[in-house]
Amino acid sequence: MPFNPSQWQKHLAGDRMAPAYLLVGEELLVLEAADAVRAMARRLGYAEREVLEADSRFDWDDLARASAGLSLFATRRLLDLRLAGGRAGKDGGAAISEFVVNPPPDTTLLITATEWSNKHEAVWTKTVDQGGIQVVFNAPRPHEWTQWIGARLASRGVKATPDAVAMLAERVEGNLLAAAQEVDKLVVLAGDQRLDAATLESLVADSARYDAFKLTDAAFAGEGGRALRILSGLRAEGDELIALMGWLVNQLQLAMRLANARDFGAQAKAERLWPAREQLFRKALRRAPREHWMACLARAARIDRMAKGREQGDPWLEAERLVAAIAEPRAATVFA
C-alpha cells in the first residue's frame, strides 16, 4: 500500500534508502517530496545523481544502461526519472519493473509524475509499491485546508494563533501554490512574533482562487457556506455571470439525467464521471427529490435570462439563492 504522510516523514528521517521511489500527484507536493529524497540521499552518501527525462522520445534502454553502469567514483547513485504524463508504456513498465525486481547495488531509482489518477495504475506501479515506496500526494480537501496550513506554518517555524491559521486557509483556499508562497512570505515577514488574525490580515494578500468548477462541486457537495463564498469571490473578480450560469446549467442537466436514469451507475459511466464525482452526484440526489432538481434547472434558466437583460430581477442575488438551494435543499425556501 502507498505510504501515508506519517509513514513518509518517518522514512525520510531514517538511515536507509529504498531501492525505488514512486512519487506522484499534486505537482508542488511531488516536487517537494522529490527534494526531500535527494536531501536524504546526500545525507546518506549518494554522491552521484543522473537525471532521465522520460518523454515520448525516451529510449527505455537508457534506464537499463544507467542502472548497469559503474559509478565514476565508486559511490552510491540516485537515478532521477521524471515521467512525463505519468505513463511508462509497455517498454517503460518492463524496464522499471526489471530495475525494482533486480535492483543494482548502491543505486536508487526516484520516479516522479505530476499527472496522476487511478487510470495510471499499472503492473509496474504495483511492482514499485511492493519492492520500493509509493506515495500519492493529493491536494488538501476543503475540510483539510486549515490543518494543512497550520502544519506547513509550524514546519517553517512560524507561530500562529488558530484564528490566524483559519484566516489564511480561507484566503488561499483551492490554490496550493499561493498557499505555499504565502507561508514562505510569512517566514520572512513574521520573524519570531506570534501571528494573530489582525497581523496576518495586514501581511497576506487575498490569494483565494475561485472558479465555476469549485463552485458547482461545493454546491452539490452540500457545502453551502463555501459555495456562497466562492460565488462572492467570482463576482468580486469580475467574472461574467452568463458564463457561470452556462456551467451551472450544464451540471444541473447532468444531475437530471442521473436522476432520471434507471441505472445510476450505468448512466454515470456513460457520462464518463470519475468515481469521486459519481459519489458527489449520488449523495446530492439523495438529499432532494427529482422535482427539486427540475425546479433548480428552471430557476437557473430564469437567472440566465436576467443576466442577459431579458427578464427583470437581480441575477446575482438569485444566483445566491439557487446555489443555497442546490447545497441545502431542505432549508431552501427559494422555490416555495
Side-chain angles (χ1 to χ4, degrees):
M1 291 290 290
F3 269 29
N4 60 41
S6 61
Q7 290 175 311
W8 175 241
Q9 292 303 319
K10 182 178 179 180
H11 174 77
L12 289 174
D15 58 4
R16 185 177 179 181
M17 297 280 287
Y21 295 89
L22 176 59
L23 310 180
V24 299
E26 187 69 31
E27 182 175 12
L28 173 66
L29 303 181
V30 169
L31 295 178
E32 290 183 342
D35 284 342
V37 170
R38 297 182 194 108
M40 181 183 182
R42 289 192 296 271
R43 175 171 62 84
L44 297 179
Y46 284 70
E48 293 184 47
R49 179 167 70 97
E50 182 174 350
V51 177
L52 302 172
E53 297 283 355
D55 56 19
S56 59
R57 296 169 294 179
F58 182 68
D59 183 354
W60 283 99
D61 287 340
D62 287 349
L63 175 59
R65 284 189 285 268
S67 60
L70 296 176
S71 168
L72 294 176
F73 305 102
T75 58
R76 295 174 174 178
R77 296 183 303 150
L78 180 68
L79 301 182
D80 195 337
L81 178 68
R82 285 85 183 273
L83 192 57
R87 299 186 185 278
K90 183 179 179 180
D91 292 341
I96 293 171
S97 295
E98 174 61 26
F99 181 100
V100 177
V101 172
N102 298 296
D106 296 326
T107 303
T108 289
L109 176 62
L110 168 62
I111 309 168
T112 53
T114 56
E115 293 184 30
W116 198 259
S117 70
N118 292 336
K119 290 187 176 181
H120 290 79
E121 295 287 348
V123 173
W124 70 267
T125 65
K126 296 177 182 178
T127 302
V128 175
D129 192 29
Q130 293 170 358
I133 291 177
Q134 178 181 355
V135 191
V136 180
F137 295 93
N138 295 314
R141 289 173 288 186
H143 68 279
E144 297 171 335
W145 267 102
T146 300
Q147 181 181 358
W148 188 85
I149 290 291
R152 194 171 183 91
L153 285 168
S155 71
R156 302 298 195 275
V158 178
K159 302 174 183 178
T161 61
D163 59 340
V165 173
M167 175 180 289
L168 179 57
E170 179 177 330
R171 286 178 177 271
V172 297
E173 181 181 18
N175 191 336
L176 202 62
L177 180 58
Q181 290 173 337
E182 294 296 350
V183 169
D184 289 343
K185 182 169 70 176
L186 288 172
V187 172
V188 177
L189 298 178
D192 295 330
Q193 67 176 315
R194 183 176 175 82
L195 292 178
D196 57 20
T199 305
L200 181 74
E201 187 162 15
S202 67
L203 297 177
V204 178
D206 189 347
S207 302
R209 180 172 61 187
Y210 299 110
D211 60 41
F213 302 101
K214 290 184 176 65
L215 169 65
T216 53
D217 282 358
F220 280 101
E223 300 170 358
R226 178 169 176 259
L228 289 172
R229 189 167 67 249
I230 293 173
L231 182 64
S232 177
L234 286 167
R235 185 177 186 179
E237 290 176 355
D239 279 48
E240 291 289 337
L241 184 57
I242 294 174
L244 171 62
M245 291 310 302
W247 177 246
L248 192 54
V249 167
N250 175 282
Q251 294 299 284
L252 284 168
Q253 290 173 336
L254 170 58
M256 284 301 305
R257 291 195 297 273
L258 291 168
N260 291 331
R262 292 184 178 181
D263 186 330
F264 182 95
Q267 184 64 34
K269 185 176 181 179
E271 301 286 352
R272 298 183 179 180
L273 295 183
W274 291 92
R277 286 189 59 75
E278 178 181 342
Q279 287 302 313
L280 178 76
F281 280 99
R282 189 185 293 274
K283 292 179 180 179
L285 295 178
R286 288 174 182 166
R287 293 198 300 269
R290 176 177 174 275
E291 290 73 21
H292 174 79
W293 303 108
M294 289 180 63
C296 285
L297 186 56
R299 183 57 61 100
R302 182 172 175 235
I303 296 170
D304 182 68
R305 292 194 297 273
M306 289 181 187
K308 294 175 180 177
R310 298 174 182 173
E311 187 168 334
Q312 293 295 316
D314 183 338
W316 281 102
L317 177 60
E318 292 300 323
E320 289 179 359
R321 293 173 176 170
L322 174 60
V323 166
I326 293 172
E328 302 174 13
R330 294 181 181 178
T333 58
V334 62
F335 304 134

